[in-house]
Amino acid sequence: MSRNWARSLRGRVTLVTTLVAAVLLIPFGVGAVTVTRAWVAASVSRDTRNTAERIAAETRTGALWRGGRIPVLDPTVPLIQVVNPQGTISAASDGAASMPRLSDVWPTPDDRVVTSRPCVPGMCLFMTAVRVSLEPDSSVVYAGRRTPAVLADHTLETVAAIEIAILIGITGWATWMIMGRALRPVAAMRAQLDEINASDLSRRVMQPGGDDELSGLAASINGTLARLERSARQQRQFASDASHELRTPIAGLRAQLESAQLYPDDTDLDALVTGALRDTDRLEAIITDLLLLARIGSRVDDAAKEWVDLGALVREELTVRKDRVPIRLAVEDGVVVLGVRLQLARLLTNLLDNAERHADRYVRVSVGSEDGTAVLAVENDGAEIAEEDRERIFERFTRLDAARSRDAGGTGLGLAIARDVAVAHGGELTVEDCQGGARFVLRLPSAALPKSP
């Protein structure tokens, strides 16, 4: 057993269970011993009193004891003596004939029955003395027996203490063994988790059979490992994609600068600056989007939230845009959400940029509410999005049409940012069916504007 067993869950449960067993069993044992002793004493007292009363009654009726020998009426009470007022034994049972007077107790007329526990040479007795009559010269009947071992010594207490100690020990041992068996799967899962490292998240812990808490814990651990594996894979893919996206403009910029360095006389300075600025702008756009993705996370700060009217937000955004195709509006007033205005505006901008990039003749924006949910939809009449691509397009640096130029295709982070903003605001952004085009639908929890005081 480990020296730190008391610090383990198994040790603590065993210790607590043992203490509880001790707290319950010790008072129970003390009570049982007390009740047993009281019951034995009452039983013996009843037997000796009944015998003494019967002998006293027979003495009052003038019964004559042949040879001074009193017959034993109850085998459990073999010691009987009748003592006259002079203190002389006038009759006795066979067991008490050779004994001295059993007791010096002399009941009075007011208390004619007295129980005592005298000791004579060689033994201690449990005895009842009964006055035969109320007359001053009445004799006294003494009926007794040897004190039972239960009352004479501490054998009962010793036996009870040993039994209680054994029960407490068995309780502790059983708890230790049961907890060891119950926690064995936990130890196995811990060992398996210790063997899993960041470089290989494909392994899983053993899931015990059944539908208990340990099985649920193993399922949760495996689910967490699966999410970590998926997240690690996405991060590796993201790092690879980001490196590729950043390397392209850097390579273009470097090529232009090296060409200018090698052939300074043949270099068009204006073209060089224009190309360098274009690549720099692309680098800045990618880095800005990456920083925004990192800041959004999975939630937004409550202190940064405010009441935002989606209809008004759409109109404000359209006033500063110059799109190549007309935008049709179907906006309801009073559709209000609680969120970060700048992030929601960026979400709308990204959806409009994406729609304008793929539209043929028009873009349509609608704002409304459905069952307490604010709904903002942006659709275009361009190419439809296949069912199998409707989730993939929200991944970072994903472009469905590889033939498009990079300027037309953007950074590849717009829809990923829009999805993250929606999730951080407790909503969702999905692609839905649309006749002849693509339809992006944002759903957010709606709320009523607070009343002015």
Side-chain angles (χ1 to χ4, degrees), residues 11-23 168 171-172 175-176 179:
R12 292 199 301 270
V13 172
T14 301
L15 182 61
V16 170
T17 304
T18 304
L19 291 176
V20 170
V23 169
I168 292 174
T171 301
T175 304
W176 178 264
M179 286 300 298

Side-chain angles (χ1 to χ4, degrees), residues 171-395:
T171 301
W173 174 82
T175 304
W176 178 264
M177 298 303 295
I178 292 172
M179 286 300 298
R181 183 177 181 84
L183 294 176
R184 195 174 301 159
V186 177
M189 285 188 284
R190 176 183 176 184
Q192 292 167 354
L193 280 174
D194 289 340
E195 296 175 358
I196 298 175
N197 53 57
S199 61
D200 182 14
L201 296 174
S202 61
R203 301 180 61 179
R204 299 292 181 266
V205 301
M206 175 192 66
Q207 183 170 349
D211 192 23
D212 56 9
E213 289 81 358
L214 289 179
S215 178
L217 175 62
S220 297
I221 291 175
N222 287 334
T224 301
L225 290 174
R227 290 191 295 271
L228 288 174
E229 181 184 15
R230 184 168 57 252
S231 177
R233 185 170 58 250
Q234 291 175 347
Q235 288 181 0
R236 288 193 294 268
Q237 183 63 40
F238 173 72
S240 175
D241 293 341
S243 299
H244 176 75
E245 293 293 331
L246 291 172
R247 185 169 59 246
T248 301
I250 292 175
L253 183 60
R254 182 181 184 86
Q256 295 179 63
L257 294 176
E258 288 178 346
S259 176
Q261 185 181 36
L262 292 174
Y263 309 104
D265 296 335
D266 299 334
T267 300
D268 186 342
L269 184 59
D270 291 338
L272 174 63
V273 172
T274 301
L277 288 175
R278 182 175 60 251
D279 290 335
T280 303
D281 289 342
R282 177 163 178 76
L283 283 172
E284 182 179 8
I286 293 174
I287 293 173
T288 300
D289 286 349
L290 290 175
L291 289 175
L292 180 58
L293 282 171
R295 292 194 184 104
I296 292 173
S298 61
R299 62 183 299 273
V300 293
D301 186 5
D302 291 339
K305 290 182 178 180
E306 59 180 298
W307 301 100
V308 179
D309 187 322
L310 291 183
L313 184 67
V314 170
R315 293 189 179 93
E316 291 175 5
E317 179 64 23
L318 294 181
T319 58
V320 296
R321 292 180 61 88
K322 295 181 179 180
D323 296 293
R324 65 179 182 84
V325 296
I327 296 180
R328 303 174 183 176
L329 292 181
V331 177
E332 295 182 10
D333 294 325
V335 179
V336 180
V337 298
L338 187 62
V340 181
R341 176 178 290 273
L342 290 178
Q343 292 185 8
L344 293 175
R346 180 60 186 273
L347 184 155
L348 176 61
T349 299
N350 289 359
L351 292 181
L352 290 173
D353 289 344
N354 180 76
E356 194 269 343
R357 188 180 301 121
H358 295 87
D360 290 334
R361 298 183 305 276
Y362 69 90
V363 172
R364 185 174 184 272
V365 180
S366 62
V367 175
S369 59
E370 297 177 0
D371 300 327
T373 301
V375 180
L376 185 150
V378 178
E379 62 181 81
N380 65 82
D381 62 344
E384 295 184 8
I385 300 176
E387 187 75 26
E388 61 272 14
D389 293 329
R390 292 185 178 180
E391 281 298 317
R392 191 168 66 88
I393 60 175
F394 292 106
E395 297 177 3

